[in-house]
Amino acid sequence: MNGKAARPTISDVAKAAKTGKTSVSRYLNGEQNALSDDLRGRIERAIAELDYRPSQMARGLKRGRTRLIGLIIADITNPYSVDVLSGIEAACREKGFTPLVCNTNNEVDQELHYLDLLRSYQVEGIVVNAVGMREEGLNRLQQSALPMVLIDRKIPDFACDMVGLDNIQAATTATEHLIEQGFEALLFLSEPLGMVNTRHERLRAFRSTLDRHSGIIAENAETPLHEAELIDNTLREFHSRHRGMRKAVISANGALTLQVARAMRRLGLSWGSDIGLLGFDELEWAELAGVGITTLKQPTWQIGYAALEQVVRRIEGTAETVHEQLFSGELIVRGSTSR
């Protein structure tokens, strides 16, 4: 005896309703006004009794639409990515699309695997958070020819819509705040710059802001996220090099801010009294840590929502030129940068 009942088909519905498959198809496609009241009632009852559910995938493919959007996320554990995903998911629900989420974990093999997988599922468009993406993955993206929007990263020689933070405005605001607070030596700390335009833009704005203010020491360093010893040494040396001066660190993203805060604890440095600390990305714990950590908040949910809206416009055939949609950041001042 087969323990699993076969899934009812459109033929089963037609048989139970004593009609043909064409009439059931019309009913399912919203053409009920073409059917008599009696026939419509019989089909309704048959669907309820059989618990028939049409395959959305099969119906979509028949019409040349799957209503699927592929999402390629570099690191799903990053709070930034979680908030962006929330905005994308809300926009998908509103516009009748289903997101397929692929977490590449910053691994190039996974990037290539998921790109091929999404194509096999016949997604109608892709939204990519490509900050950690390697060259090979980016090349495969360019060849896919699907409607696409990039979040928080531009790719050289790739004409593609991009949605993200206005990095120049945000980094300028953050740097000017530290200058106004009377800090005399500033360290801009980021993960390795590589080809990631967001990191380059934030560093460039930091440098150009300080070029307008002579007498303030400006330094920058690159540290991989999980090399605790290197982060410790970088902070220790910065702190001792400028003994007697008011010093502050700008951390280029939220994941790095957490590692910097841990390093300061290990070194016995208190943010706020011993050293200033300002981090890009608002973090849930930032207001609770010591005297609180000043952050540059990105409108991450809105960025995700806008990216999905833009890819849907591309799917629907808009001929507008490729463009960047940039959002302003908001400085949230806490004790880590107060006098």
Side-chain angles (χ1 to χ4, degrees):
M1 183 181 165
N2 187 355
K4 191 177 180 184
R7 181 174 169 161
T9 65
I10 195 167
S11 299
D12 297 330
V13 174
K15 195 173 170 186
K18 297 184 172 59
T19 186
K21 288 197 290 185
T22 305
S23 295
V24 179
S25 290
R26 281 180 169 171
Y27 176 90
L28 293 170
N29 289 328
E31 299 170 37
Q32 285 99 331
N33 56 349
L35 310 172
S36 69
D37 289 347
D38 174 56
L39 181 51
R40 201 162 54 236
R42 294 207 310 271
I43 292 171
E44 263 172 35
R45 283 192 297 278
I47 286 171
E49 283 163 16
L50 292 168
D51 193 23
Y52 172 73
R53 292 188 182 92
S55 162
Q56 294 301 329
M57 182 69 88
R59 293 175 75 196
L61 289 172
K62 204 168 180 182
R63 297 191 211 109
R65 300 286 311 262
T66 61
R67 310 295 291 181
L68 296 174
I69 299 276
L71 310 180
I72 296 181
I73 305 296
D75 177 10
I76 209 164
T77 65
N78 189 320
Y80 172 88
S81 302
V82 174
D83 284 350
V84 165
L85 265 177
S86 176
I88 291 172
E89 197 272 333
C92 277
R93 210 166 44 233
E94 201 170 289
K95 295 178 185 302
F97 283 85
T98 300
L100 291 182
V101 182
C102 303
N103 173 37
T104 68
N105 215 22
N106 290 321
E107 294 168 13
V108 72
D109 290 349
Q110 288 293 86
E111 290 162 6
L112 300 175
H113 164 69
Y114 282 134
L115 275 168
D116 292 339
L117 187 69
L118 291 174
R119 276 213 293 273
S120 75
Y121 273 106
Q122 297 183 38
V123 296
E124 294 191 39
I126 302 182
V127 177
V128 187
N129 173 17
V131 164
M133 256 202 172
R134 313 302 192 286
E135 220 51 44
E136 207 179 334
L138 299 177
N139 291 339
R140 188 79 64 94
L141 267 186
Q142 287 172 299
Q143 291 157 15
S144 73
L146 279 165
M148 191 181 310
V149 174
L150 301 176
I151 287 181
D152 200 36
R153 176 164 182 192
K154 288 178 283 203
I155 300 170
D157 308 316
F158 186 11
C160 187
D161 295 321
M162 196 278 284
V163 180
L165 182 71
D166 183 340
N167 289 301
I168 306 299
Q169 172 268 336
T172 302
T173 298
T175 308
E176 285 177 343
H177 165 71
L178 295 176
I179 293 165
E180 285 161 14
Q181 292 300 304
F183 288 100
E184 301 158 296
L186 303 180
L187 171 66
F188 182 93
L189 198 58
S190 74
E191 292 176 70
L193 296 172
M195 299 289 289
V196 182
N197 68 288
T198 50
R199 294 170 192 167
H200 283 280
E201 286 170 9
R202 289 172 193 180
L203 175 57
R204 202 160 55 240
F206 167 78
R207 287 274 180 200
S208 61
T209 303
L210 286 169
D211 284 346
R212 298 193 294 271
H213 296 270
S214 59
I216 297 173
I217 294 166
E219 297 182 7
N220 68 281
E222 300 172 38
T223 57
L225 196 57
H226 298 297
E227 291 195 14
E229 196 177 334
L230 180 57
I231 297 173
D232 285 2
N233 290 340
T234 304
L235 292 174
R236 186 189 293 112
E237 287 166 17
F238 173 69
H239 184 256
S240 61
R241 214 168 28 246
H242 307 298
R243 208 171 288 285
M245 300 176 84
R246 290 200 77 222
K247 302 167 286 291
V249 176
I250 297 184
S251 161
N253 66 48
L256 185 59
T257 303
L258 176 58
Q259 300 309 324
V260 170
R262 283 177 168 157
M264 286 184 177
R265 280 280 158 92
R266 287 193 295 268
L267 296 170
L269 296 173
S270 299
W271 51 83
S273 51
D274 297 326
I275 194 165
L277 177 59
L278 187 155
F280 272 79
D281 300 338
E282 170 65 346
L283 302 154
E284 285 188 349
W285 52 269
E287 63 179 324
L288 307 173
V291 292
I293 295 173
T294 297
T295 57
L296 196 293
K297 182 180 181 181
Q298 298 195 49
T300 38
W301 189 94
Q302 289 86 343
I303 286 170
Y305 193 96
L308 195 279
E309 278 188 316
Q310 181 60 18
V311 86
V312 168
R313 279 195 288 273
R314 289 291 176 204
I315 289 166
E316 290 170 352
T318 179
E320 63 190 10
T321 55
V322 167
H323 75 294
E324 292 175 31
Q325 190 174 349
L326 299 179
F327 287 79
S328 295
E330 177 196 353
L331 190 69
I332 299 178
V333 179
R334 299 191 177 100
S336 67
T337 60
S338 299
R339 285 179 183 277

